[in-house]
Amino acid sequence: MTRTFAILLLLTCAGFAPDAIARTTEEKDRSVDAAALAAQTRAIAKLESLLGRARDTREEALFLQRLSSLYYESSTLLFRLSHGHGGAYKAKHRQSLLKTVDSVDRLLQRFPNLPYAHTPLSLRARAFDDLSLREKAKADYLTLVDRFPEAPESSAARMALAGYAADAGDHADAVRHLLTVEARPLDPHFPFALYRLAWARYNLGQIADALHQLERHADFYADRAKTVPAGGNLPQ
């Protein structure tokens, strides 16, 4: 009897077959998500109450910003829960995304010159994308990179815009966005930009440039692998 077979037999006899363990883990994850969602719901209710008293104060913008973030965070929890419970959570997921959009609308309408508008713009763009409203997401991302080209969210925005362009067959526009990220070698999106640049160049018939980008992509991870200690994992 092999060691693996003996372990599986023991688990089965104990009532914990691998599929049962997987189900138990999924149920635990759903319980954690449900508890987190309940906490988010309470925080949202409290913020909505505070907003009523913060009208025309410095805190109003901060409360609206936090409210939009809470709604979006709730939408991610609802998305995960929808896979275990179906329709009810799917409807709530969409509703939470719409409330994210509404909160950002309120924030930017009340404070059109907000110096950190890049953060709510990015949040609303992601919500629009999750709602499959790509044109609206694209508009927000374009506003973000135009008004705040050096904002922390600008690279993610460029990557999203490159993806939209590639899906539309406009590989030259994809290259334009990706080159901005390529110029930021310390940015977390940098290696992904190299890889997608390779495909964009390939689709434009620029085979030599495509191969060059693939080599740079491979070199990036080869160089990072050298910094990993024995038994460690490759940094993401």
Side-chain angles (χ1 to χ4, degrees), residues 122 170 205 224:
S122 174
D170 191 348
R224 297 198 78 177

Side-chain angles (χ1 to χ4, degrees), residues 104-127:
V104 175
D105 287 347
R106 289 162 63 190
L107 173 61
L108 297 182
Q109 286 166 8
R110 291 281 296 141
F111 304 93
N113 299 314
L114 196 69
Y116 53 88
H118 46 84
T119 299
L121 279 170
S122 174
L123 196 65
R124 188 171 64 183
R126 283 184 283 157

